Amino acid sequence: MRIAILNRFSKDFYDYNQLISTKKDNIIFYNSNKKFFESTDNITVKNYEGFDKAFFLDIIRDHKKQPFDRLIALSEYDIERVSDIRKYLNIPSFEPISSYIFRDKYLMKNFFSTYIRTPKYKDIKNFVDIISFIDENGYPVVIKPRLGSGSESIVILSTDEELKKYLSQSPELNQLMIEEYIDGEMYHIDGVVNCGELFYISSKYINGCLAFSENNFLGSFGIENLSLKKKIDNFMKKMFSPFITLKSSFIFHLEIFKKDEEFLLCEIASRLGGGYIHDILMKRSNQNMLDAHLEIEINGYLKNIPNFTDNNYGFIMLPYRKGILASNKNFYDSRIIKIDWDSNLIGHCFDTPDSSIDHYIGYVFECTGLSEKHIYSFMVDIADWHEKHTIWKNIE
């Protein structure tokens, strides 16, 4: 089988020489960065600087020289364009309809509002839509891109003065939506649907995905409370009922709110979660979910389903600041299993972070049996350490 893969991930994220389900296949990687990795015995690599529309001409021309049996996009950013190419070249696909529904947050909420509760929401066509939604539902509200990830370009408005300031900046209102702000706890559920069966782990965010906007850390840890896990299980059965019926197969990253003992959908994507969710899935299942994604795309299902252990892990990401990173001293503790730090960042000039995954250092740690209070205290210890031992200089 000849397989073309559009890739935005580096070799640090995934060992591409260990493609469990595709070693016998002829694999061609189209990488969005020349620094990712080079060709090996079983993998042909074509490196680019980003994926512009002209780049896709190469894929089409390569197919006509020697046809592809599969064309796979690893990132949700490329799903629609790859789908268009598949149709043009008549390349078969196992890609589920979930990929398209989940990509657009407005369509996503339209679909799931039949099964579960969502925040009140509305598509934005012009500035009057924003005002009318606020008049009907009140402040605060969230304005977000219909297509996007990592909490990028999200705006929270709490007063008319903030709304005036936002509108005075003449924002491009195309492909935006508005929804009510939910003041509650936030969780993420990560895993796979395989032939209609659900396999996942549930985790709780600390500080939430917009923490970076206030220069605060983003943290997460697995849920061990059995009562809470049961409530999430019941929510998942309702939410995924159409895909269980259809016996669908896909990986997913789901984010939900909990308010007044009720869960509400934030958003879901047919992809791996960001940050260090990938590391934690690996630790708890001993299975690479990116490989699972590839196997589903190639074969339509998983032969080896993930078996998640009860061991618990957490992570913390510290957002960079606008300025020059002058020095840093890492935090060490026996519970820490990974420190994601690049000493080459010393002297680097950073701008203000744009998304929840914009950080200069991250930690993954083991926390089995620890209380939520204990885990939070551990994260605060790490953040406080860096507040004292990381030095930032202003940009002159």
Side-chain angles (χ1 to χ4, degrees):
M1 186 176 289
R2 182 169 157 83
I3 303 166
I5 300 174
L6 273 70
N7 172 53
R8 295 178 182 267
F9 302 109
S10 73
K11 63 182 179 182
D12 296 329
F13 190 79
Y14 181 60
D15 184 357
Y16 293 93
N17 289 313
Q18 301 299 319
L19 288 173
I20 298 170
S21 59
T22 56
K23 279 186 176 180
K24 63 182 180 297
D25 299 308
N26 180 10
I27 307 166
I28 301 91
F29 271 94
Y30 293 86
N31 288 338
S32 66
N33 191 312
K34 292 182 179 179
K35 298 179 181 179
F36 281 171
F37 52 89
E38 300 299 327
S39 298
T40 63
D41 291 341
N42 67 318
I43 296 175
T44 300
V45 173
K46 295 190 175 185
N47 293 318
Y48 296 81
E49 289 294 345
F51 288 159
D52 56 25
K53 292 180 181 178
F55 146 81
F56 289 93
L57 179 62
D58 283 358
I59 296 177
I60 294 172
R61 295 292 181 253
D62 288 349
H63 173 83
K64 293 194 173 182
K65 292 176 186 175
Q66 187 178 356
F68 297 123
D69 298 293
R70 296 283 188 274
L71 177 58
I72 298 170
L74 295 183
S75 169
E76 62 180 331
Y77 289 107
D78 303 313
I79 287 174
E80 293 178 58
R81 287 182 289 188
V82 164
S83 177
D84 292 337
I85 295 173
R86 285 200 201 105
K87 290 176 184 176
Y88 172 63
L89 298 176
N90 293 315
I91 299 175
S93 170
F94 287 109
E95 187 173 62
I97 191 172
S98 61
S99 297
Y100 306 99
I101 297 172
F102 298 175
R103 181 74 184 100
D104 186 316
K105 294 177 175 62
Y106 177 72
L107 297 180
M108 173 206 308
K109 285 188 165 65
N110 277 347
F111 178 84
F112 282 111
S113 60
T114 304
Y115 304 93
I116 56 173
R117 186 182 165 193
T118 70
K120 297 173 184 176
Y121 65 96
K122 185 177 184 178
D123 185 29
I124 296 176
K125 297 183 177 64
N126 53 56
F127 72 94
V128 175
D129 289 330
I130 299 175
I131 297 171
S132 65
F133 183 88
I134 292 172
D135 285 347
E136 183 176 346
N137 299 287
Y139 288 109
V141 296
V142 180
I143 295 178
K144 62 172 68 174
R146 288 176 55 169
L147 308 176
S149 63
S151 303
E152 195 170 2
S153 302
I154 290 180
V155 177
I156 298 176
L157 302 174
S158 300
T159 65
D160 274 356
E161 289 305 312
E162 291 180 1
L163 175 59
K164 287 178 182 177
K165 182 179 179 180
Y166 175 74
L167 293 175
S168 69
Q169 296 170 350
S170 301
E172 176 58 57
L173 299 180
N174 185 41
Q175 289 293 299
L176 291 179
M177 63 180 293
I178 184 171
E179 62 181 44
E180 65 174 317
Y181 176 83
I182 302 298
D183 185 13
E185 296 175 337
M186 194 171 188
Y187 299 82
H188 62 94
I189 297 96
D190 300 89
V192 61
V193 184
N194 189 50
C195 299
E197 288 190 78
L198 280 165
F199 305 91
Y200 57 87
I201 60 173
S202 305
S203 307
K204 182 178 181 179
Y205 280 125
I206 298 295
N207 291 336
C209 293
L210 294 176
F212 71 92
S213 63
E214 298 178 351
N215 197 36
N216 208 346
F217 69 82
L218 171 62
S220 166
F221 65 93
I223 296 170
E224 296 189 59
N225 182 294
L226 294 179
S227 175
L228 179 57
K229 287 175 73 172
K230 186 174 182 180
K231 290 177 182 178
I232 290 176
D233 288 343
N234 291 334
F235 175 86
M236 293 291 287
K237 289 175 184 177
K238 288 182 182 179
M239 179 171 175
F240 281 81
S241 59
F243 303 106
I244 294 171
T245 302
L246 293 171
K247 298 189 179 301
S248 301
S249 297
F250 55 88
I251 65 169
F252 65 87
H253 170 65
L254 166 66
E255 295 178 342
I256 59 176
F257 300 107
K258 179 171 176 279
K259 183 179 180 182
D260 300 328
E261 298 304 314
E262 185 177 14
F263 294 110
L264 296 86
L265 171 67
C266 176
E267 57 188 60
I268 185 172
S270 286
R271 61 168 174 82
L272 288 170
Y276 301 98
I277 293 172
H278 177 65
D279 295 84
I280 291 173
L281 287 169
M282 280 277 289
K283 292 293 293 184
R284 291 192 60 173
S285 69
N286 204 26
Q287 185 171 347
N288 193 303
M289 296 308 290
L290 187 56
D291 188 63
H293 176 51
L294 283 171
E295 186 178 344
I296 289 172
E297 289 274 9
I298 294 167
N299 301 321
Y301 66 98
L302 275 180
K303 294 179 181 178
N304 298 310
I305 59 175
N307 180 23
F308 293 113
T309 69
D310 291 331
N311 293 337
N312 200 5
Y313 300 89
F315 72 79
I316 178 174
M317 297 189 295
L318 301 176
Y320 51 72
R321 303 177 184 181
K322 186 172 184 178
I324 299 171
L325 180 56
S327 66
N328 174 68
K329 188 176 180 181
N330 293 344
F331 180 91
Y332 292 98
D333 187 277
S334 60
R335 289 166 287 189
I336 293 173
I337 61 174
K338 177 179 180 178
I339 301 177
D340 185 17
W341 159 250
D342 183 355
S343 60
N344 292 320
L345 292 177
I346 298 297
H348 184 80
C349 182
F350 289 90
D351 203 342
T352 305
D354 293 319
S355 78
S356 60
I357 60 173
D358 288 344
H359 64 290
Y360 71 96
I361 191 168
Y363 294 84
V364 181
F365 54 88
E366 204 270 343
C367 56
T368 306
L370 298 182
S371 67
E372 179 175 336
K373 183 178 179 180
H374 194 153
I375 295 170
Y376 176 73
S377 177
F378 184 63
M379 292 184 186
V380 170
D381 287 344
I382 295 174
D384 287 347
W385 170 272
H386 281 282
E387 192 65 34
K388 296 175 182 176
H389 295 91
T390 302
I391 298 175
W392 297 87
K393 291 185 178 180
N394 294 330
I395 302 172
E396 297 180 356

